[in-house]
Amino acid sequence: MTDVVWLIPAFPLAGFLVLLLFGRRLGEPGAGYFGTAAIFASFLASVAVYVDLQGNPEDQRESASTLFSWVPVGALQVDMALLADPLTITMCLFITGISSMILLYSVGYMHGDSEFSKFFLYLCLFVLSMTVLVLGENLLVTFLGWEGVGTCSYFLIAFWHTRESAATAGKKAFVTNRVGDWGVMLAMFLCFSAVGSLSYTVLNNNAESGLLAESTATGIVMLLFVGAIGKSAQLPLYIWLPDAMEGPTPVSALIHAATMVTAGVFLMIRINPVLAASYDWVNPVIAWTGAITALFAASIAVAQNDIKKVLAYSTVSQLGYMFLAIGTGAYVAAIFHVITHAVFKALLFLGSGSVIHAMNDEQDMRKMGKLAKYLPITASTFIIGWLAIAGVPPFGGFWSKDEILLFALADGAVGLYIIALLTAVLTAFYMTRQVIMTFYGEQKWTSKAEEHGAHGDFKPHESPPIMTIPLIVLAVSAVIIGLIQLPSLAAVPDSIEHRLEDWLHVVTPAEADIAGSWADEHVVILIVIATLAALVGIAAGWLVYQRKRFKAIEPTILAGGWYYDRTITNFMGGPGRESFQAVSDFDSTVVDGAVGAVGVGVERSGKGLSRIQTGYVRQYAAVIGLGVVALLAWFIIRGVL
């Protein structure tokens, strides 16, 4: 099956092309079902390749398939090649699996939309781009998918472009990601200059064999890290992601859960040998960037009232955990959290979409309350997602978050561990706040009856089965997903512990070894501490918002995101715009003026010289004669002197 790994992106491509040509004719719900089937077929292809690789010896779990020669330019030979190994197939499994659930959910969510078929067209193109990104055998193929998901994110976030806020959010995402793309392009140039290739295999082999200088490795890693910061929404480039909530809720689930935002994490793990070959200060920079982002975003989430924006800032925070893991050498833990986060965050976003659907497009949690009675399936599945992200055992999020905390402490980074633990408390707190404000607490939606012309008989309603079935599937997955990477405990059989680590071992040779460290020998204590952190956050949220024992503290500065986004917006709209205009004026007057002046000078000189080109032979002969006389005179004078 590794020979037909191209089927994984081929099915989304087929879905895109068919919907492009016949989407309008298929209509609703045909276009939605066809798009869902295409992505599910891609998932089945991923499963088949996984089974094939699983049956091979560990040293034979890597297969590159060259489709055609893409860029044969001198010494630069880049193939359109796909790489099937444990990392890429792991990514493909949850990307296609969760995406198929999101597309199925979208059939119900987008019911009645005038651009129904176009929405699924964009979704298929998005999944195609994401599979190309993770399957790319070299940086250029990855960059093709990288740019593809960036472009699709613009289309999807701005899907309801008649709303000014949606159009602005789409442009904001597109422009912000261009900053990160600059880093990826420069990294490619540096890679080719250093090793003469853009292939991951060549690059990583050079790093492992010591042929890549520390300075070069550092340059490549840091430039790619700039790209990762942009795509995975870390400080200082996270600002596009909260505004991405302007898109339809399935888009939020797709971008924030299994796909686009994890691209930066994937890229850093893909080049982990290069990361190991770089300067010692690189890992702490990555770890601290992730830790600070995690705490920063979690502090903002505690004061948000939009049900989707709480989850958006939560995504930024959880991505910070992943970069913290990368910076401490815990590559498997990072991927583990990518997987668990993809499941429970997709569940939470789709659950929020079900709530919005039930509340006639209302997103303000202050206008909700006591919805559990009317939305039993949505509420119960959302609660499972809440417990998973809060880090309550035995849900998947607990195991992945605990492993990140373990590596942070084992690495000797006590400061990082404390920040991560505090972030865990805040996560449990703001997610408890969200659950109570939405499903419990005081009922505050009765006043909406008149707003929607219901004349007092408005009641929230459960979503149709086509929307609740994906919620149930994801909820079950959130409960059991932790089984893929259980720690070494007395109660855990050896046959099922560290299964993900054993699977990814061939791809992560540079992962930190914490065997024998204090943290490794006291795993149970750390598990208890992590569990207590989650319970403290949940208890605090329950006492403040359900029991009203303490007054809720939601400072304006947190609700405004520490005014970070506003400051950037004010700068771009004020001094920034004026500076950019000054640069444009300088370019048009000085630079273009200088270029124009050279052209005018050449033109006038040409016209002046053309006057001596009369076409008369006698004139040319006279000039030649004068030249001969002048040369003779020069030789005679020189000889005399």
Side-chain angles (χ1 to χ4, degrees):
M1 288 304 301
T2 53
D3 294 333
V4 290
V5 68
W6 54 270
L7 285 174
I8 297 175
F11 284 118
L13 175 60
F16 166 74
L17 293 176
V18 170
L19 291 176
L20 179 65
L21 298 174
F22 308 108
R24 294 275 184 188
R25 188 174 302 176
L26 288 171
E28 182 188 345
Y33 286 131
F34 182 84
T36 303
I39 305 306
F40 188 71
S42 180
F43 170 69
L44 294 179
S46 302
V47 172
V49 176
Y50 165 75
V51 171
D52 191 21
L53 287 179
Q54 185 73 265
N56 294 340
E58 186 178 288
D59 59 350
Q60 297 179 23
R61 291 177 179 172
E62 181 176 309
S63 175
S65 304
T66 301
L67 304 182
F68 55 85
S69 180
W70 185 16
V71 186
V73 182
L76 178 60
Q77 300 290 323
V78 180
D79 295 329
M80 175 56 71
L82 305 179
L83 178 63
D85 68 7
L87 177 60
T88 60
I89 299 306
T90 299
M91 296 291 293
C92 284
L93 281 171
F94 71 79
I95 288 170
T96 56
I98 293 177
S99 295
S100 61
M101 290 294 100
I102 293 172
L103 265 75
L104 180 62
Y105 175 95
S106 301
V107 174
Y109 190 86
M110 298 301 291
H111 171 66
D113 194 283
S114 60
E115 300 291 345
F116 183 87
S117 62
K118 182 185 289 187
F119 183 74
F120 287 89
L121 169 79
Y122 290 156
L123 291 183
C124 285
L125 182 60
F126 190 100
V127 178
L128 165 64
S129 300
M130 194 66 200
T131 54
V132 169
L133 189 158
V134 299
L135 285 170
E137 188 276 338
N138 56 70
L139 274 165
L140 192 58
V141 176
T142 291
F143 192 64
L144 176 66
W146 188 277
E147 288 297 281
V149 295
T151 303
C152 290
S153 68
Y154 168 73
F155 293 149
L156 290 167
I157 293 170
F159 186 76
W160 288 324
H161 55 83
T162 52
R163 295 192 328 219
E164 184 179 353
S165 57
T168 301
K171 289 184 288 185
K172 188 174 186 178
F174 189 82
V175 172
T176 305
N177 275 277
R178 297 290 74 74
V179 178
D181 297 347
W182 164 83
V184 178
M185 287 190 290
L186 289 185
M188 287 194 291
F189 302 154
L190 184 55
C191 283
F192 178 67
S193 174
V195 301
S197 174
L198 299 180
S199 168
Y200 290 119
T201 302
V202 174
L203 178 62
N204 288 336
N205 286 344
N206 273 268
E208 290 174 344
S209 59
L211 298 177
L212 198 64
E214 274 190 321
S215 56
T216 304
T218 300
I220 293 172
V221 168
M222 294 310 294
L223 287 170
L224 290 177
F225 184 51
V226 171
I229 285 175
K231 195 68 74 180
S232 295
Q234 298 294 283
L235 282 169
L237 300 179
Y238 82 93
I239 55 175
W240 67 270
L241 194 135
D243 287 359
M245 297 300 96
E246 291 294 336
T249 300
V251 173
S252 303
L254 196 65
I255 291 177
H256 292 68
T259 54
M260 180 173 167
V261 293
T262 62
V265 179
F266 162 80
L267 185 59
M268 300 306 294
I269 296 174
R270 178 86 278 176
I271 60 156
N272 68 85
V274 184
L275 183 56
S278 59
Y279 289 130
D280 293 339
W281 54 264
V282 172
N283 279 316
V285 167
I286 295 173
W288 278 100
T289 299
I292 293 172
T293 302
L295 182 59
F296 176 82
S299 68
I300 296 174
V302 301
Q304 300 302 308
N305 294 309
D306 185 310
I307 189 171
K308 288 171 64 177
K309 281 208 170 182
V310 174
L311 299 177
Y313 281 107
S314 168
T315 298
V316 177
S317 181
Q318 296 303 308
L319 288 165
Y321 265 110
M322 299 170 200
F323 281 98
L324 167 60
I326 293 171
T328 54
Y331 304 125
V332 173
I335 287 294
F336 188 25
H337 201 55
V338 166
I339 296 170
T340 60
H341 175 264
V343 173
F344 63 64
K345 188 53 64 69
L347 171 60
L348 290 168
F349 266 113
L350 296 186
S352 70
S354 183
V355 171
I356 294 168
H357 174 77
M359 294 294 293
N360 291 337
D361 297 328
E362 180 60 69
Q363 295 184 199
D364 193 336
M365 296 186 298
R366 293 171 297 183
K367 298 179 181 179
M368 299 180 186
K370 288 193 175 180
L371 292 178
K373 176 181 177 182
Y374 301 94
L375 312 176
I377 298 176
T378 299
S380 57
T381 54
F382 196 96
I383 287 170
I384 290 175
W386 158 51
L387 295 174
I389 191 174
V392 176
F395 300 94
F398 166 76
W399 300 109
S400 58
K401 193 178 296 185
D402 180 70
E403 188 156 347
I404 293 173
L405 292 169
L406 170 67
F407 270 82
L409 196 58
D411 193 49
V414 179
L416 292 175
Y417 176 81
I418 293 173
I419 291 176
L421 199 62
L422 177 58
T423 302
V425 175
L426 289 177
T427 302
F429 176 80
Y430 67 69
M431 288 305 302
T432 303
R433 170 182 179 268
Q434 183 179 45
V435 168
I436 292 171
M437 291 180 69
T438 304
F439 298 105
Y440 299 100
E442 299 177 19
Q443 181 175 310
K444 300 178 180 179
W445 47 262
T446 49
S447 61
K448 289 179 57 59
E450 295 181 2
E451 295 177 25
H452 293 279
H455 305 294
D457 59 353
F458 168 77
K459 285 186 179 180
H461 52 89
E462 184 62 274
S463 298
I466 200 166
M467 293 173 65
T468 55
I469 289 173
L471 294 178
I472 295 170
V473 172
L474 290 170
V476 172
S477 301
V479 175
I480 65 175
I481 194 67
L483 294 175
I484 66 174
Q485 178 68 5
L486 293 177
S488 299
L489 297 172
V492 178
D494 294 342
S495 59
I496 63 172
E497 65 180 30
H498 298 302
R499 297 182 68 178
L500 182 63
E501 182 179 344
D502 294 339
W503 166 246
L504 293 175
H505 174 70
V506 68
V507 189
T508 56
E511 184 170 35
D513 183 9
I514 63 172
S517 65
W518 183 92
D520 184 52
E521 293 177 353
H522 296 82
V523 173
V524 175
I525 295 177
L526 297 180
I527 287 177
V528 171
I529 293 174
T531 304
L532 288 175
L535 295 178
V536 166
I538 291 173
W542 189 263
L543 290 173
V544 172
Y545 292 96
Q546 179 67 20
R547 302 302 299 273
K548 306 291 186 181
R549 294 288 181 84
F550 304 98
K551 182 179 180 181
I553 301 176
E554 300 174 1
T556 305
I557 191 172
L558 296 184
W562 294 97
Y563 303 132
Y564 180 79
D565 195 350
R566 184 185 303 179
T567 300
I568 293 178
T569 300
N570 291 339
F571 172 79
M572 291 299 178
R577 179 183 292 274
E578 295 172 0
S579 300
F580 301 146
Q581 187 61 50
V583 172
S584 177
D585 293 341
F586 178 83
D587 180 68
S588 60
T589 55
V590 179
V591 177
D592 288 351
V595 174
V598 171
V600 171
V602 170
E603 180 183 9
R604 291 179 179 177
S605 300
K607 287 181 178 180
L609 292 173
S610 68
R611 294 174 182 174
I612 66 175
Q613 301 293 328
T614 61
Y616 294 112
V617 176
R618 62 178 179 272
Q619 181 177 347
Y620 297 156
V623 172
I624 292 172
L626 289 173
V628 171
V629 171
L631 284 172
L632 289 173
W634 184 76
F635 283 120
I636 292 171
I637 294 172
R638 184 178 178 185
V640 172
L641 296 176

